[in-house]
Amino acid sequence: MSRNPEPPYDETKLGRRGFLAGAASVAAATALPLGLGAGSAAAAGAARPNVLVILTDDQPKQTEWATPKTVDWLVGHGVRFTSGHVTTPLCAPSRSSIFSGQYAHHHGVRDNGHPYNLDQHDTVQRALHQAGYRTGLFGKYLNAWQAADNPPHFDEWLLSAPVVYNDGQYNDNGTLRTIPGYSTSVIRDRALAFLDKAATDPRPWFAFVAPKASHEPNTPEPKYADTTVPAWNGRPSVGEADRSDKPQWIQDATGTLATGRQLRARQLRTLLSVDDAVQALHDKLAALGQLDNTLVVYLGDNGYTWADHGWSKKSVPYLPSVEVPFYLSWPAGGLGAGSPADHRIVANIDLAPTILEAAGITPDWALDGHSLLGPHSRDHLLVEYWEQGVHQAGRPHTWSSYLSKTEQYTEYYKLHTDADGLPVGTGAVAFREYYDLDADPYQLVNRLYQATPAQEQALGIPALAATLAAERSA
């Protein structure tokens, strides 16, 4: 059984030539150097797309029941990436990868405590702003960012700090204040006001809209508090009987089918309000006549486990933690109604290069990702995570993982981040896992547990370990 039964990506079969030609023509007609001033950029770049990134918090992949309007818009008039991932399943590192197009070991935000390690020059918002885009941030930014600090390279913002569901405190364009109401609705309304200005401001715009949903405590909007969600009987990884081949913190995990069901229901109910907000953004763009030439991306900042292997969190290399919903729509670029699903392995590091290519901007920093507008197709992805502070029972060690559609090899290290967010420790390998994802898509059998050297050789572990070491240090 394969976790990705769809046929492999094929450019001609999926009809992407028309899309690539359309995207290339838009980019070629509007390519701008980063140093172009705002006024001349607006005049020269009338055809440049607007960019709307909608980023949810802790939204796992199997949640489309709660977002039918989002799917109708962005899949019905765009594309679903069936193998969407994050390269670090933790909020601040993942968001920094979205902004920078870089792995966490390059942008430096390895954990949730050190957002200021991100070089703000190496961000898509800086590049767009410098090229004449009007920029806005609405919702969650980076964990541990000080509420009084304004987010760089944004013209407008309503920054949730700290992020709560009701009556939250916000940095509102430089002023700290409490705004009553449900946070998803507050964020939606400010994003709509930002879009409204496009009626009189000819500049293209970039809006980053980031609600708290579906993060714990998963508090639903009152009107959805008692909504009945579809029944769920779990997955084979939920209630796994024998976890002796897993790391100690997984062996000690206590999640059950009942706790997984409760968590799933809470998450789905919070996402119903996100779906309403996405519909409102769609309607606003339609009213402004900007629906076709707006590049819209929707994804989660990481996945989440629903008691898979007893674990009801993120931060682990298992598939529900690293896979996310991932949609893109841009009708004027050739990605609209009737676009087929895209089965390539894609990740959050691919957003920045995609946005920059669409806007016709050549990046002036090194990117790890690749534009989704081109034919690039990777055969595997590096996924990584750092433990913050010294190791404690019940928390995963630092790890890195080689992940393809057919196999996953993971190493756990005696390594953690220090007070500056830098990795310290011996780096010794403390545990390893290997899963045959074709035969074992729910990752029940760690084939390295008690494996002999000959068995490891047969699995190709030496080559996988060498590849992982090279990519971690690249």
Side-chain angles (χ1 to χ4, degrees), residues 257-346:
L257 176 59
T259 57
R261 282 173 169 163
Q262 293 164 4
L263 171 59
R264 172 180 173 271
R266 294 195 306 270
Q267 288 195 307
L268 292 176
R269 289 173 182 139
T270 64
L271 288 168
L272 291 170
S273 296
V274 173
D275 200 42
D276 291 342
V278 172
Q279 183 65 49
L281 293 167
H282 169 277
D283 294 347
K284 178 63 67 176
L285 291 177
L288 290 167
Q290 296 193 344
L291 200 55
D292 280 355
N293 200 29
T294 298
L295 171 64
V296 186
V297 184
Y298 180 106
L299 76 162
D301 65 355
N302 49 253
Y304 218 77
T305 59
W306 292 333
D308 297 272
H309 318 291
W311 191 259
S312 298
K313 302 176 187 178
K314 47 200 174 187
S315 304
V316 290
Y318 306 121
L319 299 181
S321 175
V322 301
E323 292 186 324
V324 293
F326 203 121
Y327 318 130
L328 190 152
S329 175
W330 183 25
L335 193 56
S339 298
D342 192 317
H343 307 302
R344 292 177 292 174
I345 298 173
V346 302

Side-chain angles (χ1 to χ4, degrees), residues 1 41 44 108 139 153 161 174 184 186 210 260 288 290 293 322 367 373 382 408 412 422 427 454 470:
M1 176 182 177
H153 308 300
T184 303
V186 171
L288 290 167
Q290 296 193 344
N293 200 29
V322 301
L367 300 175
L373 307 184
L382 170 66
Q408 183 178 26
Y412 298 85
L422 300 175

Side-chain angles (χ1 to χ4, degrees), residues 38 55 65 69 97 100 102 119 157 171 195 207 212 219 232 245 341 344 388 466:
L55 182 69
W65 172 86
K69 302 165 191 173
S97 290
S100 67
Q102 296 177 331
D119 184 343
W157 60 88
N171 178 332
L195 299 188
K212 179 177 176 65
T219 305
W232 185 66
D245 61 344
R344 292 177 292 174
Q388 184 172 338

Side-chain angles (χ1 to χ4, degrees), residues 45 61 67 73 76 78 118 124 216 218 236 242 260 264 274 277-278 293 300 316 347 358 380 395 401 416 440 443:
K61 190 174 179 182
T67 59
W73 175 19
L118 178 64
V124 68
E216 291 276 21
N218 327 108
D242 183 2
R264 172 180 173 271
V274 173
V278 172
N293 200 29
V316 290
H380 73 278
R395 296 197 324 193
S401 188
H416 62 271
D440 182 19
Q443 300 168 290

